[in-house]
Amino acid sequence: MALILIRAENQKKLLNTLADIERHAKLKIEGKPRVIPSESADKIVKEIIKQKLRSKSEIAVITKVEDDTTKSIVHVRKIHPPAHVMVISEEYKEFKEIEKNFKELPPFKGYYSHKNKGKKP
């Protein structure tokens, strides 16, 4: 399981990025992505990359994928989504903090997985 943080300018770009992660990166998103305050997302990215950000996000989500961190990084690097995508590895202190608070974050509305289409409950 890996955590992916997505920072975007708007909801449309965020939804397109989630679709790209499933369709093109071929990663399986677990459950619903969770909304994280954009300021928090920007702070997390800034701490991990240890650089000033080029732009601030307007909307951000955290999502879990079934695949491990290494596979997620390799697959995400091959796509070109319309938003900033960061796979957060277990080696960062932010990983444990996000994982602990994940269920408390509100679910992202408007997203549905195209991979769940046609599956029987």
Side-chain angles (χ1 to χ4, degrees):
M1 191 254 333
L3 289 175
I4 297 179
L5 173 65
I6 305 168
R7 301 169 50 245
E9 293 174 7
N10 56 52
Q11 184 165 345
K12 183 178 178 183
K13 288 184 178 186
L14 193 57
L15 287 167
N16 285 337
T17 300
L18 287 165
D20 285 354
I21 286 171
E22 284 196 319
R23 290 185 189 125
H24 304 297
K26 295 178 175 48
L27 299 173
K28 175 74 173 104
I29 293 175
E30 288 183 9
K32 286 256 185 198
R34 302 293 179 139
V35 177
I36 184 169
S38 57
E39 300 83 24
S40 297
D42 292 348
K43 183 180 175 204
I44 290 167
V45 171
K46 204 175 190 179
E47 287 177 15
I48 291 173
I49 65 172
K50 297 185 183 349
Q51 292 180 7
K52 191 174 179 183
L53 301 177
R54 284 189 235 161
S55 63
K56 293 184 179 189
S57 61
E58 296 297 321
I59 185 169
V61 297
I62 293 278
T63 190
K64 291 182 179 182
V65 292
E66 290 178 358
D67 302 285
D68 66 24
T69 304
T70 304
K71 182 178 178 184
S72 298
I73 291 168
V74 170
H75 287 262
V76 165
R77 288 183 72 175
K78 293 179 182 177
I79 65 172
H80 302 285
H84 181 224
V85 177
M86 176 176 271
V87 179
I88 301 175
S89 169
E90 296 89 353
E91 68 186 63
Y92 296 109
K93 67 178 178 7
E94 291 82 7
F95 181 90
K96 287 180 183 165
E97 195 176 306
I98 293 167
E99 191 175 42
K100 184 177 78 175
N101 298 323
F102 187 79
K103 290 190 187 259
E104 295 170 18
L105 296 170
F108 179 58
K109 292 183 169 98
Y111 166 77
Y112 71 94
S113 173
H114 81 284
K115 289 191 175 187
N116 290 336
K117 274 187 169 179
K119 287 187 179 179
K120 293 181 181 177

